[in-house]
Amino acid sequence: MRKYVIMGVQGSGKGTQAKMLRGDLDLVHISVGDIFRWHVRQHTKMGAQVKRIMAAGELVSDELVEEVVRRRMGIHDWNYGFIIDGFPRNGRQAEFFMESYDIDAVIHLELPDDEVRRRVLSRRLCPSCGMDYNLIADRPEVEGRCDICGNELITRADDTPEALESRLTDYHEKTRPVLELFRRKEVVHDVDGRPPVEDVQQAIRKTLGLPAYRG
Ligand code: AMP
C-alpha cells in the first residue's frame, strides 16, 4: 500500500499530477478542495457553510476539514493506497493526520509565485467532469467548451487576483511550516513544477522509485 501526500502552492499542478499518478497504481485520489466544491455545487448544508470562505480564498475551519477527511478516509476504499491533495494545510491538520496515518512520501511541487499568478489567472474548469484547462498552455479545442463533455467552462470562484493573494499568503505562512515538519521526518520529495505536465509526472515517479508513466 502506498500513502502519499501531494503539496504545493495553488496552480502548481497538484490535482493534475495526483490524477496521473493514481491511474495505473490504483490509488484513490482524495482532494479536500474537490469535496468542498462538490458540496457547493450540490447546495448542501456544508456547501452553504464553505461557499463564501472558499470564494474569498480563505481556509475552511480545521474542525470542518478534519470531519471531511475523517469521513472520506473512513470509506476505506483505498486498498492499494491513496494520494491526498490540498491537505494538510497547517500544523494542526498535519498533527491530526499523522495521529492516524503514516505517510510514505510527501511530493512537494515547487513553483515561483509569479508563475503561480500567471497560471491561476488563466485557469478554467469544467464544472461537469472536473477537467482543468489553461488559456495559455492547455486551451480547449472549442473556446469556452470542455473537450470531453462539451459543457461550458467556468472560472473557479477563488481564481481572482484578490483571492489568489490571500491563498498565497496562507500558503507561505501556514502551509510551508507543515512542509518543514515533514522534512524532519525525511519523507519530502521536492519536484520542479515548471516543466511540461508529463515531465513533472516522470520526475515524481523517478524520485518515488515507481514505474515510468506511459500515458
Ligand atoms: P484547493 O482546491 O485545494 O485549492 O481548495 C480550495 C479551497 O477549499 C481552499 O481555498 C479552501 O477554502 C478550502 N480548503 C481545501 N482544503 C483545505 C484545507 N486542508 N484546510 C482549509 N481549507 C481548505
Side-chain angles (χ1 to χ4, degrees):
M1 175 169 325
R2 301 183 168 104
K3 289 175 273 179
Y4 300 139
V5 168
I6 188 159
M7 293 182 68
V9 71
Q10 294 71 28
S12 57
K14 295 187 298 283
T16 305
Q17 296 298 335
K19 284 182 193 127
M20 289 166 84
L21 201 56
R22 90 174 152 191
D24 50 326
L25 299 172
D26 278 330
L27 303 180
V28 171
H29 172 213
I30 300 173
S31 159
V32 176
D34 281 354
I35 295 173
F36 284 141
R37 275 185 287 278
W38 182 88
H39 280 277
V40 170
R41 271 203 310 279
Q42 301 300 319
H43 303 285
T44 67
K45 194 172 151 207
M46 186 184 290
Q49 275 175 284
V50 300
K51 188 174 178 187
R52 191 202 57 76
I53 299 169
M54 287 180 76
E58 291 162 11
L59 291 179
V60 171
S61 75
D62 290 334
E63 289 79 7
L64 207 52
V65 170
E66 285 169 16
E67 187 188 321
V68 162
V69 171
R70 200 179 290 120
R71 236 193 271 164
R72 181 62 191 85
M73 297 301 289
I75 296 175
H76 278 284
D77 54 347
W78 36 278
N79 300 332
Y80 295 98
F82 58 78
I83 177 155
I84 188 155
D85 132 25
F87 175 90
R89 264 181 152 96
N90 60 32
R92 171 172 158 174
Q93 293 181 9
E95 272 164 36
F96 158 80
F97 197 62
M98 288 191 299
E99 272 169 22
S100 310
Y101 307 96
D102 32 278
I103 295 159
D104 297 316
V106 173
I107 304 153
H108 172 221
L109 293 177
E110 297 182 288
L111 201 70
D113 284 2
D114 279 353
E115 178 64 12
V116 170
R117 292 189 183 92
R118 201 178 74 91
R119 282 191 187 183
V120 168
L121 299 178
S122 61
R123 181 155 72 174
R124 297 293 181 274
L125 178 76
C126 174
S128 173
C129 70
M131 187 76 182
D132 252 353
Y133 295 87
N134 185 290
L135 300 187
I136 306 164
D138 185 19
R139 300 181 70 87
E141 272 168 34
V142 178
E143 198 182 319
R145 294 266 160 206
C146 178
D147 292 348
I148 312 268
C149 63
N151 237 76
E152 197 171 333
L153 300 179
I154 57 161
T155 304
R156 269 172 54 163
D158 53 352
D159 281 350
T160 61
E162 299 76 23
L164 175 60
E165 290 313 313
S166 163
R167 285 189 289 157
L168 276 173
T169 306
D170 272 338
Y171 185 80
H172 291 298
E173 287 178 2
K174 299 177 185 155
T175 310
R176 272 214 168 257
V178 175
L179 204 57
E180 298 318 314
L181 207 123
F182 286 133
R183 232 179 255 291
R184 270 181 255 138
K185 295 190 174 291
E186 300 184 354
V187 287
V188 179
H189 297 255
D190 296 306
V191 175
D192 185 355
R194 288 170 303 176
V197 169
E198 287 210 2
D199 296 356
V200 175
Q201 178 67 199
Q202 298 298 16
I204 291 174
R205 288 177 179 237
K206 192 166 175 218
T207 183
L208 295 178
L210 297 171
Y213 180 70
R214 278 171 278 109

